[in-house]
């Protein structure tokens, strides 16, 4: 508040014991005019750069290519570029596309061959699999695909990262999460990127985008179901959602960055309140049209809580969705608390 004095001690002359972790930043070059600028700014904080996106086709071909300037910037920053392989079609994860390719031995083998060809073409360390929205009955074909891909990865000394949902029960019959068999998959991946976010989503209802007990339960579930802590990356988001009230199915929340939240707070005289149970802040305001809004978002306090969980559970590290969005506070705290491993 106005008149309050903040004293920030210097850590330069203080001995620090920092844990070494790995970090993964997801990045969409299509959103950037200068493809390599992000690595010149954030390269020191990253082990891996997950580049979106490389969707596969119905025949197992892979679409997309890497920007040469981005590759050179990654080499300079000693960051391992990892293409993100998806079942995306027209901007959405396609259940039909994923199931048809993975269930057919010919197209599945073609997809695996093309993933390896893409890795070798650019001399990359490995790849990330981000296949989502399959049906529960696709569980076996998905596990088989990951097993076969992992064998090829190990034969070529490459790293396989798999995006996995944050769940705390088996939920084998539920959409989105049911086809992930953690016990079967855990032995056939090098890293599991746990998507511990989107608890509150654009379609509402307005609630924390991620909740502390949700994170803790998902960590415990993964560890007890064959995904050990040394394989687990905890997901961080760099944004929040602004919902118009009253909440309706038609009104999707607007995505807001931390600086935009602050600007809204200043403009409308709103207070930011930190919910200690959720481990996340929120803000309520009324705009000039008399429309009420509620915003749940991430700030450095909520990130700090998750960093402490990484230390408490001895996790492999953190991943960030999506580093195109500005969040300088987290990089400062990350570098104060941890050493970032470089391959």
């Amino acid at each position: 508040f106005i008149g309050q004095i903040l004293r920030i001690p210097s850590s330069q002359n203080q001995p620090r014991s920092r844990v070494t972790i790995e970090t993964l930043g997801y990045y969409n070059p299509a959103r950037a005019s200068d493809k390599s600028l992000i690595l010149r700014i954030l390269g020191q904080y990253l082990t891996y750069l997950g580049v979106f996106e490389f969707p596969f086709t119905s025949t197992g071909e892979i679409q997309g290519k890497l920007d040469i300037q981005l590759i050179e910037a990654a080499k300079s920053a000693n960051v391992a570029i990892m293409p993100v392989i998806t079942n995306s079609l027209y901007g959405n994860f396609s259940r039909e596309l994923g199931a048809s390719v993975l269930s057919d031995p010919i197209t599945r083998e073609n997809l695996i061959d093309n993933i390896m060809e893409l890795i070798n073409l650019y001399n990359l360390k490995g790849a990330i699999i981000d296949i989502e929205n399959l049906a529960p009955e696709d569980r076996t074909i998905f596990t088989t695909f990951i097993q076969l891909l992992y064998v090829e990865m190990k034969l070529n000394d490459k790293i396989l990262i798999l995006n996995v949902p944050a769940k705390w029960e088996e939920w084998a019959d539920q959409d989105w999460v049911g086809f992930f068999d953690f016990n079967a998959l855990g032995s056939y991946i090098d890293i599991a990127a746990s998507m511990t976010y989107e608890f509150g989503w654009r379609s509402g209802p307005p609630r924390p985008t991620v909740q502390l007990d949700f994170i803790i339960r998902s960590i415990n579930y993964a560890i007890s179901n064959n995904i050990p802590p040394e394989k687990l990356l905890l997901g961080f988001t760099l944004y929040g959602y602004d919902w118009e009230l009253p909440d309706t199915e038609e009104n999707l929340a607007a995505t807001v960055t931390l600086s935009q939240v602050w600007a809204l707070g200043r403009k409308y005289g709103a207070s930011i309140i930190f919910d200690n149970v959720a481990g996340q802040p929120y803000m309520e305001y009324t705009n000039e049209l008399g429309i009420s809004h509620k915003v749940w978002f991430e700030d450095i306090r909520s990130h700090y809580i998750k960093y402490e969980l990484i230390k408490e559970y001895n996790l492999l590290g953190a991943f960030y969705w999506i580093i195109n969005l500005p969040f300088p506070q987290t990089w400062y705290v990350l570098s104060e608390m941890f050493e970032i491993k470089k391959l």
Side-chain angles (χ1 to χ4, degrees), residues 128-145:
I128 300 170
I129 302 301
D130 185 25
I131 293 177
E132 302 185 32
N133 196 30
L134 297 189
E137 53 266 29
D138 298 323
R139 187 180 178 100
T140 300
I141 61 170
F142 180 74
T143 299
T144 299
F145 164 67

Side-chain angles (χ1 to χ4, degrees), residues 21-24 48 161-167 182 186 189-196 215-236 306 309-311 313-319:
I21 64 171
E22 297 183 11
T23 60
L24 162 63
Y48 309 98
I161 300 177
L162 177 64
N163 282 4
V164 299
K167 60 178 182 175
F182 280 21
I189 56 176
D190 297 298
I191 298 172
S194 179
M195 297 182 283
T196 44
I215 299 173
I216 292 172
R217 284 187 290 172
S218 65
I219 292 173
N220 286 324
Y221 178 85
I223 292 173
S224 62
N225 286 272
N226 201 30
I227 300 181
E230 61 270 19
K231 286 187 176 184
L232 196 60
L233 293 178
L234 194 62
F236 288 60
K306 288 188 271 291
L309 288 175
I310 290 173
K311 292 174 64 175
Y313 283 89
N314 295 312
L315 303 183
L316 177 64
F319 79 86

Side-chain angles (χ1 to χ4, degrees), residues 208 210-216 274-280 296 305:
V210 62
Q211 196 155 308
L212 185 55
D213 66 334
F214 164 81
I215 299 173
I216 292 172
F274 194 86
D275 186 316
N276 290 304
V277 175
Q280 194 175 66
W296 284 96
I305 290 171

